[in-house]
Amino acid sequence: MASVSPLSTKRELTELPIKRNAFTSKAQEALVLLGANRRFFISGVLLFTAIFLGGCSSEDAKPAPPAPPEVTVATVVQQDVPIYNEWIAQLSGPVNAEITPKVQGYLLKQEYQNGYFVKKGQRLFELDPRQYEAALDAAKASVASAEANLAKYQTDVARDTPLAAQNAIPQKQLDNDTANRDAAAAQVLAQKANEQNAELNLAWTNVNSPIDGIAGVSNSQIGDLVGTSTKMTTVSQVNPIWAYFNISESDFLGVAARVEGIISGKVSRDSLGRTPIDFVQANDAPYPQKGRFVYVNRQIGSQTGTIQMAAEFANPNAALRPGGFGRVRIQTGVNQNALLVPQRAVIEVQSNYMVVVLGSDHKATFRAVKMGARVGPNWIVSEGLRPGEQVVAEGIERIQMVAAAMPQLAKSGIPVAAKPFVPTSVDEGSN
């Protein structure tokens, strides 16, 4: 083991403070330098932290994918659907009586309420009867005068007949008596006819309704001078009421043989009732009573190429009024195995139609379809769908918004949250 001299040890101990002082000064310089750059260091740390945290927050702030839109879906139904044809129709009473007085006179009374039901024979108006009462009295007087003359000539004939037989008077006198008697008898008949005419004129001062029906508003006021050319009001028969409509010549030819059989008497008119006719009112509400054919015009219109027909409907409550419009609907066939979807499920753009179909993967895609006739709240699909497929009935707008925001999903399919479509009471009641 090497020995350490005391002298060397002492020397090292003497130099140690010097080395320590050098190290201390270096450390102090480092601390001073660190203190000078501390602001830059802290700023760097804060910047790094901000960048790091900013990066983390930007990743955390990425928008989450939108929730699937909620929709209701309906199943494509396959069933037989009756085919109807419709024509615009106008209502009119079978009889519309123009109320015109048969004599001239001043109007004294109106004895009905405008727009009310009236009965056949009911008095509607009363004219001033005084001049006709005077005329009747004059006619009666003329009859009495003619009958008195007749009695005189009858007495002459009775007296002169035996005298002429005895040649007590000339035969010519008896002949004159007989001629005067016959002329007086004819005069009596004439005067009685005048009396009857005067009675009629007096009776016609009471203007009565010729039919049961609804009387319109009076065109004449109390005190007006009315005559045989004055249309005072109109009474329309409303139960039953007729709906007039025009069908094309080609449609008529399809039923011409049947019509010919009916109008010729070969087929019973009761067969008309076997084809029920529906009437759709102006407010699109179906009229509860069924109708039947009653009338086919004799000719086809040269300008329109149509022929007029009429259907009769019971109208006990006068809900249908003359002059009103509606639609006559008649079943003309059956569409076998038709595919039906709710009308609200169909998107229509410039006569092009689309539906939104829900696939088995719960994704909705747009599909072009061809449509047929509307049937109540539903619509017949003639091409583009299969039975049992599901189409979106409600929520189509939400799917369109998603498709507009993310066009790539429109091709692959838009995820949706679907639930069954439940028709509303309005849909169920539609026709």
Side-chain angles (χ1 to χ4, degrees):
M1 179 177 180
S3 60
V4 179
S5 68
L7 182 60
S8 60
T9 303
K10 183 178 180 179
R11 188 182 301 118
E12 291 175 359
L13 292 173
T14 303
E15 296 175 350
L16 182 59
I18 298 174
K19 293 180 180 179
R20 184 188 61 187
N21 293 336
F23 174 79
T24 302
S25 62
K26 292 292 186 179
Q28 290 176 348
E29 291 177 0
L31 289 174
V32 171
L33 182 60
L34 179 60
N37 294 328
R38 182 173 56 184
R39 291 172 298 172
F40 299 101
F41 174 77
I42 294 173
S43 299
V45 172
L46 292 175
L47 179 62
F48 175 79
T49 303
I51 293 173
F52 176 78
L53 293 178
C56 294
S57 63
S58 64
E59 290 180 357
D60 294 341
K62 286 183 179 179
E70 295 183 356
V71 298
T72 61
V73 294
T75 303
V76 179
V77 178
Q78 186 176 35
Q79 64 183 34
D80 294 343
V81 176
I83 301 174
Y84 292 91
N85 282 354
E86 290 187 352
W87 296 273
I88 299 298
Q90 185 173 18
L91 300 170
S92 182
V95 179
N96 297 286
E98 298 281 356
I99 304 303
T100 301
K102 296 180 175 63
V103 294
Q104 187 179 51
Y106 289 96
L107 181 59
L108 293 183
K109 296 180 182 178
Q110 176 182 333
E111 299 193 358
Y112 77 97
Q113 292 189 4
N114 294 334
Y116 274 57
F117 282 102
V118 295
K119 295 291 186 180
K120 181 178 180 179
Q122 178 180 336
R123 185 165 68 176
L124 306 179
F125 302 97
E126 181 184 359
L127 306 184
D128 188 350
R130 289 175 294 179
Q131 61 177 330
Y132 299 102
E133 290 173 346
L136 177 59
D137 291 339
K140 289 180 178 180
S142 298
V143 170
S145 177
E147 287 178 343
N149 287 332
L150 175 60
K152 174 182 177 299
Y153 292 125
Q154 287 176 337
T155 302
D156 291 344
V157 170
R159 184 189 63 243
D160 292 344
T161 299
L163 295 175
Q166 298 172 5
N167 295 321
I169 61 172
Q171 182 65 35
K172 181 179 180 181
Q173 183 177 347
L174 179 59
D175 294 340
N176 290 335
D177 292 339
T178 303
N180 290 334
R181 182 199 61 188
D182 294 341
Q187 188 64 24
V188 169
L189 293 177
Q191 294 303 324
K192 285 185 176 180
N194 290 335
E195 181 184 9
Q196 291 176 353
N197 189 52
E199 290 175 346
L200 286 175
N201 289 337
L202 179 60
W204 284 336
T205 59
N206 296 321
V207 182
N208 302 326
S209 174
I211 59 173
D212 294 341
I214 294 179
V217 176
S218 173
N219 300 319
S220 302
Q221 302 297 321
I222 304 301
D224 287 354
L225 178 63
V226 298
T228 56
S229 62
T230 305
K231 294 182 179 179
M232 303 183 72
T233 189
T234 302
V235 178
S236 294
Q237 183 180 356
V238 294
N239 186 28
I241 196 167
W242 287 9
Y244 292 88
F245 59 100
N246 293 278
I247 68 173
S248 66
E249 183 179 1
S250 59
D251 289 339
F252 171 72
L253 292 175
V255 296
R258 184 178 177 189
V259 171
E260 188 276 334
I262 293 173
I263 62 178
S264 64
K266 300 176 183 177
V267 179
S268 171
R269 288 177 58 89
D270 295 338
S271 64
L272 294 173
R274 300 172 190 167
T275 303
I277 303 175
D278 296 322
F279 184 77
V280 182
Q281 302 174 86
N283 60 355
D284 289 332
Y287 185 66
Q289 301 285 346
K290 298 292 184 180
R292 65 185 186 94
F293 284 109
V294 292
Y295 164 79
V296 179
N297 202 349
R298 66 179 182 83
Q299 67 177 8
I300 295 173
S302 59
Q303 296 182 349
T304 62
T306 60
I307 187 169
Q308 187 184 62
M309 306 181 74
E312 182 182 82
F313 294 88
N315 189 31
N317 298 323
L320 304 180
R321 295 299 183 95
F325 283 89
R327 303 191 306 275
V328 166
R329 183 168 63 182
I330 304 173
Q331 181 177 344
T332 57
V334 177
N335 190 335
Q336 301 286 341
N337 299 321
L339 300 180
L340 298 175
V341 297
Q343 291 189 26
R344 63 180 64 195
V346 182
I347 306 170
E348 181 178 1
V349 180
Q350 296 181 350
S351 300
N352 294 318
Y353 302 98
M354 299 183 70
V355 295
V356 181
V357 181
L358 182 65
S360 58
D361 55 357
H362 297 283
K363 292 183 178 181
T365 56
F366 292 87
R367 185 186 300 177
V369 293
K370 292 184 180 180
M371 307 304 298
R374 289 178 171 87
V375 181
N378 299 319
W379 207 337
I380 296 177
V381 181
S382 58
E383 186 176 328
L385 287 176
R386 296 185 300 274
E389 287 190 302
Q390 292 185 318
V391 296
V392 175
E394 293 177 341
I396 296 177
E397 298 82 0
R398 304 188 190 104
I399 296 177
Q400 290 174 326
M401 292 175 63
V402 174
M406 292 178 285
Q408 68 278 7
L409 289 180
K411 297 181 179 180
S412 60
I414 300 173
V416 296
K419 58 183 180 180
F421 169 67
V422 179
T424 62
S425 58
V426 175
D427 292 334
E428 292 171 346
S430 301
N431 285 307

